Amino acid sequence: MLRFLTAILFTLGLTLSAAAQTTGDTAEPDRAQTGGATTLEDILARQRGEKVDNSYRSENTGQGNVEGLLGQFGPSGVASDSDVYRQLRYGSADVTVSSNGPADSVLIQDGGMWWWAFRTGPLREYGTYILGGMLAIIILFFLLRGRIRIDGDKTGRTVTRFNSFERFGHWLFAGSFLILGITGLLTLYGRDFLIPLFGKEGFATIAQACKWLHNNLAWAFMLGLIIVTLNWIAHNIPNRTDLKWLAAGGGLFTKGSHPPARKFNAGQKIIFWSCILLGISISLSGLSLLFPFELPMFAKTFAIANSTGIPQMFGLNLPVQMSPQEEMQYAQVWHVMVAYVFIAIIIAHIYLGSVGMEGAFDAMGTGEVEEQWAREHHSLWLEEVHEKEAGKAATSPAE
Ligand code: HEM
């Protein structure tokens, strides 16, 4: 699990760094003709997407300070307008504004461009591959394996698998997740196909509804996350049975193979811990987005990550100083990346919990499962249930 999360972190890091650093080697242009200012070659290189060393601008922001210059904007001042704009752009201007919040002192945020390009480009592109890839795997699995049936004869008896509180927790978590997923994806992709379908006005109404649902159902999701964690954490501690279950591929790929499992098998434990860890991560980044600039967490997280030395092993040095806007950009990018992985995992879960396996849905529907289903998929748990029942029968007074 830890390895899985580390992989996500470094995928994020690698992708961000790839997005942040444009490619290509460029020779230093001769700026003597422009008096040290931007040349045509600089502009063309930037347009070609090459890396342009901006230090000749960021370190050349004039002699005076902004306050001293405010009354004398124009080419004849102590410094020119372009000096002032360079100071503003590279964050060295001493800006005093009547402030409504921490982000107000940053008037030009250069990093917004890579974020915008990343959000509308690679983030969506790779995210679509993740979701499409998972759907393709599920379809292939269905074609090769078909529906996993109950192999033995049904007994006609049922066992209580989940009580009503367990099912309430699951459906609160799952229901809110599904709406959050749909409204989130509509926010990310909606413009492209909803505007042609419903026009700009129609899209605006849909987008507003999505935003309202997304912001408010986040609380139901977090409550569901807490209930699911409290209900099932004790049943999801890994043990040796899980290794045997995994070694047998969970019996998923071979008809008639039923490795023993307790209440949750190793596959379900992977789903459970993914839900908990991804759920916490998506909730934290979501809260950061819900309360803009008030819950910055990325600079601190990156500082901790850098101090482990692990990012450096991958050639990364994560930024530890960020403008408030940059914090929000990282929160948005992380939130969406976690969402893609989470949704992909849940697609597999939904398949196995419904059409993919005969008898599974009853566990979360009525809470009662066919005894033969329980014997095939959770034999050790069924034994525990029978032992408990036998214990109860022995202690209850005879009729
Ligand atoms: C329509 C959608 C869904 C269906 C049909 C469904 C079905 C099920 C079923 C049948 C089980 C019990 C399996 C058993 O008895 O062994 C289960 C368990 C569980 N579900 Fe769902 N589920 C859905 C959506 C979700 C979502 C969206 C989440 C999380 C965001 C989720 C999280 C869990 C967890 C953590 C468990 C316990 C571990 C496991 O069985 O994998 N479910 N679900």
Side-chain angles (χ1 to χ4, degrees), residues 183 186-187 190 194-195 197-213:
T183 52
L186 283 178
T187 306
L194 292 179
I195 292 180
L197 282 177
F198 301 106
K200 288 189 176 167
E201 291 287 323
F203 171 68
T205 311
I206 297 171
Q208 267 178 329
C210 284
K211 181 181 152 48
W212 188 89
L213 286 169

Side-chain angles (χ1 to χ4, degrees), residues 161-162 170-171 173-174 177-178 221 228 232 263-264 268 271-272 275 342 346 349-350 353-354 360-361 363-364 373 378:
R161 177 122 174 95
F162 296 114
H170 174 269
W171 288 119
F173 192 39
F177 179 94
L178 293 178
F221 174 81
V228 163
W232 293 335
K263 179 150 178 161
F264 292 115
Q268 290 176 299
I271 299 278
F272 174 85
C275 284
F342 207 167
I346 289 301
H349 168 75
I350 292 176
S354 56
F361 187 82
M364 268 316 153
W373 179 91
H378 299 275

Side-chain angles (χ1 to χ4, degrees), residues 49 292 297:
M297 38 188 85

Side-chain angles (χ1 to χ4, degrees), residues 24 195 242 389:
I195 292 180
D242 297 328
E389 277 172 359

